[in-house]
Amino acid sequence: MPRPGHMIVCGDDALAERLAAELATVYREQVTLVVPPSRRPDATTGRARAAALLGWIQTAMNRTEGPNGSSLTGRVRLLEAAVLDEAALSGMGAREAAALALVHDDDETNIHAALAARRLNPRLRLVIRLYNRKLGQHLEELLDQAAALAVPGLDPEALDTSTTVLSDADT
């Protein structure tokens, strides 16, 4: 189980893997990487797939050790989730997380997950990948307003929550 304040990265491509690796290696964060279940019939499952993915992440980042020679395996936890609904987000620790990055290749998946995450944890910092920039601007405002409304009587500035929407052009 992740500690409070950990980071969650959800995605279906190399961007999610690179982001999780960078958070773990460069910023020394505890990260939960959530990927869709493999659709390949010959795919490995469980610990073998997690070990293979962590090995790939470490190789991609050209790092195999964390601080003081510790393994990164303890810093990155791999989970599979077919959908990112409230139950799945709660199971991956979104209620206690400091931040959630939604970098799926599909805008609709990211939007639905962001709304569910905001309901679970109004203080959660969100980073969302959207291809539609105009929609992203409106979504930032909506999610930040939802966070402020979820904690009545609290000054929105004191809430220290934020939503950032990035398009591929931004990254």
Side-chain angles (χ1 to χ4, degrees):
M1 187 66 155
R3 75 182 193 297
H6 71 288
M7 309 284 181
I8 302 172
V9 177
C10 302
D12 55 2
D13 62 10
L15 175 61
E17 295 164 359
R18 286 193 320 266
L19 179 57
E22 187 161 328
L23 287 169
T25 58
V26 176
Y27 297 101
R28 308 289 189 230
E29 296 290 343
Q30 183 178 356
V31 180
T32 300
L33 174 59
V34 183
V35 298
S38 178
R39 291 178 178 83
R40 294 176 300 150
D42 63 336
T44 57
T45 58
R47 290 188 189 277
R49 183 165 185 240
L53 183 56
L54 285 175
W56 184 89
I57 289 172
Q58 291 166 350
T59 301
M61 292 301 292
N62 197 21
R63 297 171 188 226
T64 57
E65 296 180 344
N68 304 325
S70 62
S71 169
L72 289 176
T73 305
R75 290 204 162 286
V76 179
R77 178 175 73 135
L78 180 70
L79 296 177
E80 290 184 348
V83 293
L84 296 174
D85 57 11
E86 284 189 43
L89 289 164
S90 183
M92 62 186 72
R95 289 183 195 275
E96 302 82 23
L100 170 65
L102 298 163
V103 295
H104 281 272
D105 210 12
D106 175 50
D107 286 359
E108 187 177 348
T109 298
N110 292 333
I111 292 169
H112 284 289
L115 292 169
R118 182 59 81 217
R119 282 191 298 272
L120 284 174
N121 184 350
R123 289 182 165 88
L124 184 66
R125 291 176 185 247
L126 294 171
V127 176
I128 307 162
R129 174 191 198 182
L130 288 183
Y131 289 95
N132 185 329
R133 280 184 165 184
K134 187 92 168 153
L135 177 61
Q137 292 169 345
H138 296 297
L139 186 63
E140 280 182 9
E141 293 174 25
L142 173 72
L143 290 170
D144 286 344
Q145 289 173 3
L149 291 174
V151 186
L154 185 64
D155 178 19
E157 298 298 319
L159 191 57
D160 191 31
T161 187
S162 68
T163 303
T164 303
V165 177
L166 300 173
S167 73
D168 276 4
D170 297 325
T171 57

